[in-house]
Amino acid sequence: MAFVVKSKVMSAATQNLLNASGATSSATSESATNGASPASVNGAPTSGGPGVHGSRQGAGTASSSSPTFSPLYQQIKSLITRSLQSGEWKPGEMIPSEVELAGRFKVSQGTVRKAIDELSAENLVVRRQGKGTFVATHHEARAQFRFLRLMPDAGEPHPADSRFLEVKRMRGPAEVARLLDIKSGDSVIFIKRVQAFDGAPTILEEIWLPGTLFKGLTAERLNEYKGPMYGLFETEFGTRMIRASEKIRASAADEAVSALLSVPVGTALLSVERVSFTYDDKPVEVRRGLYLTEHHHYQNELS
Amino acid sequence: MAFVVKSKVMSAATQNLLNASGATSSATSESATNGASPASVNGAPTSGGPGVHGSRQGAGTASSSSPTFSPLYQQIKSLITRSLQSGEWKPGEMIPSEVELAGRFKVSQGTVRKAIDELSAENLVVRRQGKGTFVATHHEARAQFRFLRLMPDAGEPHPADSRFLEVKRMRGPAEVARLLDIKSGDSVIFIKRVQAFDGAPTILEEIWLPGTLFKGLTAERLNEYKGPMYGLFETEFGTRMIRASEKIRASAADEAVSALLSVPVGTALLSVERVSFTYDDKPVEVRRGLYLTEHHHYQNELS
DNA sequence: TAGTGGTCTAGACCACGTG
DNA sequence: ACGTGGTCTAGACCACTAT
C-alpha cells in the first residue's frame, strides 16, 4: 500500500540523478522489493494538492545506517557543475533557463533554483535578472579582485603591469609537486615576474603550473595577452580557477629580492603562498608572492 | 474591483512591516484611496489555489520612479535583526520557530525561511535541524576561528594565553577616533597585551574600544575571564562583533617590540590593523596586532 | 509523540531586459 | 509581448531531536 505513487513523482523523489542523464522513470526493483521500508506511507492524494513524495532513502537496510544520499537539489547542483566542468557551457555563456533545466531534470523550478543559488554563492555562475544565468568568467572587473587583495593605501585599485623575468619548463620541486598533487619530478611550467604600480616595482611572484595542463604556455603568450592571467588560463588552456587558499607570512628581502624590488636588503615584505583550485578541488597552481607594503596593503574581510 | 482581496493577504503583500510590530491587518487608507494603482488586478481566487497577491508598489506616483521598497523577506530580516540587536533574544538562546514567526509577521513560512537563511549565511544565527534556530555567540569553538586567522604551521590550532601589559582609559588618538566614528579626544579603553603559544610570545596587540560602551572594563575583568575576549564583550558588555575588516602589512620590529616578542630588532612581522563592527555596521573596536610568523601563518581562503 | 528545521512541489505574480 | 530571474504562497513530507 505504501508504494501507490505516480511514477513521475516517484522518479523525482527517489531516483538518483547522478547516474544517467536521460533515465526513464520506472520504480527500481531494488527499492520496490525492499522489505522494511521506512514509514513513508503516502496518504490519499488530497484532491489535486501539491506534490506527493515517496521516501528518499535508497536502500533501507536499517533506519540508523545513513548511506551517502544527498537532497535532490544537491544532485542537480552536481549535474550542473559537471556540465560547467566539461565545457558544455563555456565561461561567459548563458546556461539554460531554470524552467528548461527543471524540465530536463524532471524536478520543480524551485529545486533547480536552490541548486543554482548555491552555485551563484560559490561564484561559479552569475545570475542576471531578466537576462539569464551565466557561467562566471575571469574576464570581468567583478571577478578580478577576488584573487587580488593587494590594495593601494590611497586611491582606486588599478591593474599592475607585469615584467616576465623567466618562463620555462622544469621538473617540479618536491614541495610544489606535493601541493599540486603530482609526482615529484613531473614537468611544471615556472613563471617569475615583477609587477609594478605606476612604475614602482611592488610584487615579485613565482608561479608553478602543471606541465600537462599548460603545455604551450610561453613568455610570448603571456606578454601578448592583455588582461588578468587567470583570464588567459581560462580562455587558452580551459582551466578555470575556482578558489584559492593563501598562507601569509612576513619575511625580509634578501639580496636577489632587494635588487628586483629596488628596496634595501632586510626590508620587511609580505610573503603570500597561494594554492589555487579548479573543479573537484583539484590544485592547479602554486604561487609565491612577495609584496612590498610601503604604499599598499592586503585587504581582508572577516565575516 | 481591483481591491477585492482578503485583508490578510493584503496586509502581507503591501504592508511595510518596518513600522509597527503588532499592526492589525486592515487596508491602509493611503493605499486604498490611491487613484492610479498599478495593474494589480486580482482575478478570481481560482478555487482555493495558492497565494493571491496585490501590488507591492507602495505609493504609485509613477511606474518609473522606484522608491526604496525591499522584498518582504528583507523586511522580515530587518525585523529579526532588530530583535537580535535589542537583546530580545540573547546570544545562545533559541529564537521563535519559523512557524511562529510566520504567524507573527503574517507571512508564509517560506518567506521567514528565506530571511533566516540570509541571517544564517551572515553568521548572525545558527540553524540546528530538529532543535531550532539560535542566536550566534562567540562562546563556541565554531565561531572562534572566524576572527583568529593565525594558525600554527604544524599541529592543531589552540588558544593562546594572554598577558596584559596595560589596560587604561585615555583620550582616543585622532586616527583611532576616526575609525571608531567618534570625536577625537573622546574617552576610549586602551588594552595592550602579549599572547604566547606554548610559552613563545607571538602576538603583540593594541586594542582601542569606545569608552561609552565598555565602561568598567579593567585588567582584573580581563584576567579573570576564561575564553575569547569577544565572548567577554558579548556577555558582559552586550556588544557583539559581527564582522571585521583587516589591512595587513609587513613591518620590522623596533626596540620596544623586539623586547616584548623576544626577537631581534628589525625582525619582519605581520602588521594587522582590524576594525570590528557590530549591528548596523557600527565600528566598535580598533586593533593593531604584530604577529611573529616564525612558526605561524595567517590563513586566508579566497572564494 | 510532538516540534523543529530541511526538502520539494505547483502555481501565481512581479521586476527586469530585449525585441 | 515575451522570456528571464526574483518573490511569495500553501501545503506536503522528511530528518532530526527531545520528551
Side-chain angles (χ1 to χ4, degrees), chain A residues 167 189 214-224 232 237:
Chain A
V167 180
I189 307 287
F214 292 88
K215 208 182 295 284
L217 179 57
T218 63
E220 279 87 23
R221 299 284 286 277
L222 288 167
N223 275 315
E224 289 167 8
L232 171 70
F237 298 91

Side-chain angles (χ1 to χ4, degrees), chain B residues 228-249:
Chain B
M229 190 181 279
Y230 284 176
L232 172 70
F233 293 171
E234 166 185 303
T235 303
E236 305 288 328
F237 298 91
T239 295
R240 227 190 92 73
M241 306 299 179
I242 300 297
R243 67 173 192 90
S245 179
E246 295 192 332
K247 295 186 200 303
I248 306 174
R249 295 181 180 83

Side-chain angles (χ1 to χ4, degrees), chain A residues 49-113:
Chain A
V52 177
H53 298 298
S55 158
R56 195 164 298 100
Q57 198 70 270
T61 53
S63 61
S64 60
S65 78
S66 61
T68 61
F69 268 82
S70 55
L72 251 188
Y73 78 88
Q74 287 285 3
Q75 300 180 40
I76 304 294
K77 185 182 164 190
S78 289
L79 287 171
I80 297 175
T81 301
R82 199 163 298 185
S83 289
L84 292 171
Q85 183 176 5
S86 75
E88 180 178 340
W89 312 310
K90 301 218 176 325
E93 289 180 7
M94 179 180 163
I95 75 172
S97 75
E98 296 178 353
V99 173
E100 180 176 342
L101 289 173
R104 180 182 306 187
F105 296 136
K106 298 278 177 35
V107 299
S108 83
Q109 184 179 354
T111 300
V112 171
R113 168 161 277 275

